[in-house]
Amino acid sequence: MSQLIVRGGSRLGGEAGIQGAKNSVLPILAATLLTADQVELQGCPRLRDVDASIRILEGLGCTARWEGEDVLVVDTRGLGGCVVSEALMREMRSSAIFLGAILARCGRAELSYPGGCELGPRPIDLHLSGLRDLGAEIDDAGGVLHCRARRLQGREIVLSLPSVGATENLMLAACGAAGTTTIANAAREPEIVDLQDFLTACGARVSGAGTSTVSVEGGRPLHGCTYHVMPDRIVAATYLCAAASAGGEVFLRRAREEHLSTVTAVLREAGCSIFSDKKGIACASKGRLSAVRPVRTAPYPGFPTDAQAILMAALLRCRGAVVFEENMFENRYRHVDELARMGASIRVSGRAAVVTGVERLHGASVRCTDLRGGAALCVAALAAEGETEVSETGHIDRGYENIARDLRALGADILRTED
């Protein structure tokens, strides 16, 4: 088991590149099934969730190989199955995204319910109802999804809420449906746009991503392509918050401020200086941060739930108090007790958490509770006096290629150790 040893109290300084986006590459890996061809993904991050997706593809008869540091070549011509094992499905929440692609390619699919971080109920009801609208027959008895579709037919689907996963799953399934599918109240995240751009590069006709209405003209044969994955906006937000927490000046190559403007707006309000251009984002922080107005998570373009814990960690030493309101997942404050071990003052009541800034944080032994909560502990540790040991870092590996390497490039004193 690995740990991260962080010695805090020093200002940051340096630059680091931002990896490809986890939440973008996972649906793209599922989408490769639609091509029955070879796809080269550039800027693909080496993550636990990517490894899990590769094992799913290989279990279906496809092949995948790494070329260099961040190029993944996937060949789905050998697809010979439509069943994903329960063990693989339990590894990550995003495994559900394979349902629409397998159904479109094979006409049937068998998967169990997905796993992932325990952030509270995250049902895939919207995925299933949308696929049924397209003509799929789904039996979910016994916790296993048995899906058949003799012929998928495009139609208008109205989502009751803008679910990212449901939007992506329906986009993939719609590529194999006859006619045009319109997804209303679709999610608007940049990762949806990246999926559209990938599908378009493969020959699909998809439009509207980034707005609340996505249109897919299905039934077109798709082909392979070479595609570069967008940079990860939550990783960029993490390293910006690291600089805000510890102080100093950093530059993040490839980071795009237009993808995380709600985060940079809060950091500016807290006292950080932020500049961005086509090359990336620069952030400078001097002294303790100021308290900011209430932070409320919401679907994009609102404040991202994935950045809530990370920003909270950056504001633990702010002057004043900050209210956080989590509107996406009910168990997204699991990191609070671990931050309290470092001297943080946080009071939680239902969906609200009030952070009262303290003058000092101190090192402690803490454990990761989930992916973003683990990153938050690293952000807090950079501002703490003394040494912090962060355990159960497997959660962090699901979304950060090498957080210790990147933070060292930014001047942090952080080391990964193995038992």
Side-chain angles (χ1 to χ4, degrees), residues 10-15 250 382 406-414:
S10 300
R11 295 171 63 81
L12 301 188
E15 64 177 71
V250 303
L382 293 172
D406 292 346
L407 289 176
R408 276 198 303 274
L410 297 175
D413 187 346
I414 178 172

Side-chain angles (χ1 to χ4, degrees), residues 6 95 266 293 311 334:
V6 185
S95 56
V266 174
R293 289 169 290 185
L311 177 65
R334 298 177 67 209

Side-chain angles (χ1 to χ4, degrees), residues 38 58 63-67 71-75:
Q38 181 172 289
E58 291 174 339
T63 63
R65 70 179 187 275
W66 290 98
E67 293 187 353
V71 177
L72 182 64
V73 179
V74 179
D75 192 329

Side-chain angles (χ1 to χ4, degrees), residues 4-7 378 382 403-404 407-408 412-416:
L4 291 169
I5 308 300
V6 185
R7 296 178 179 86
C378 295
L382 293 172
I403 196 170
L407 289 176
R408 276 198 303 274
D413 187 346
I414 178 172
L415 176 67
R416 183 174 184 135

Side-chain angles (χ1 to χ4, degrees), residues 240 250-251 257 268 273-278 280-284:
L240 290 174
V250 303
F251 180 72
E257 187 175 7
R268 284 191 175 96
S273 298
I274 296 176
F275 170 80
S276 66
D277 58 19
K278 293 181 179 180
I281 303 176
C283 177

Side-chain angles (χ1 to χ4, degrees), residues 139-160:
D139 179 3
D140 59 354
V144 177
L145 301 171
H146 300 275
C147 311
R148 289 185 178 275
R150 293 184 181 86
R151 184 173 184 269
L152 293 174
Q153 178 63 51
R155 57 163 295 174
E156 181 180 10
I157 299 172
V158 181
L159 297 177
S160 58

Side-chain angles (χ1 to χ4, degrees), residues 17-178:
I18 298 301
Q19 67 186 53
K22 164 188 175 287
N23 291 335
S24 183
V25 74
L26 299 182
I28 286 176
L29 284 171
T32 63
L33 291 172
L34 300 174
T35 68
D37 203 349
Q38 181 172 289
V39 170
E40 181 179 297
L41 295 180
Q42 300 177 347
C44 183
R46 292 184 178 240
L47 307 171
R48 279 185 56 190
D49 278 7
V50 169
D51 290 339
S53 294
I54 290 173
R55 287 194 292 274
I56 289 175
L57 290 169
E58 291 174 339
L60 295 170
C62 308
T63 63
R65 70 179 187 275
W66 290 98
E67 293 187 353
E69 287 296 317
D70 65 352
V71 177
L72 182 64
V73 179
V74 179
D75 192 329
T76 63
R77 286 173 288 191
L79 179 70
C82 60
V83 179
V84 180
S85 71
E86 180 181 1
L88 290 174
M89 288 296 295
R90 286 186 176 277
E91 285 194 34
M92 63 174 185
R93 170 69 182 175
S94 298
S95 56
I97 200 65
F98 281 88
L99 178 56
I102 296 174
L103 199 58
R105 173 87 179 267
C106 302
R108 63 191 184 95
E110 183 177 313
L111 303 82
S112 65
Y113 278 88
C117 289
E118 297 177 6
L119 303 177
R122 294 190 286 177
I124 60 171
D125 296 357
L126 290 180
H127 303 231
L128 303 184
S129 63
L131 292 172
R132 288 187 174 108
D133 287 342
L134 293 177
E137 299 175 1
I138 303 175
D139 179 3
D140 59 354
V144 177
L145 301 171
H146 300 275
C147 311
R148 289 185 178 275
R150 293 184 181 86
R151 184 173 184 269
L152 293 174
Q153 178 63 51
R155 57 163 295 174
E156 181 180 10
I157 299 172
V158 181
L159 297 177
S160 58
L161 57 88
S163 163
V164 174
T167 300
E168 293 167 340
N169 233 336
L170 295 175
M171 287 171 66
L172 299 186
C175 286

Side-chain angles (χ1 to χ4, degrees), residues 374-387:
L377 296 178
C378 295
V379 169
L382 293 172
E385 298 175 355
E387 184 176 283

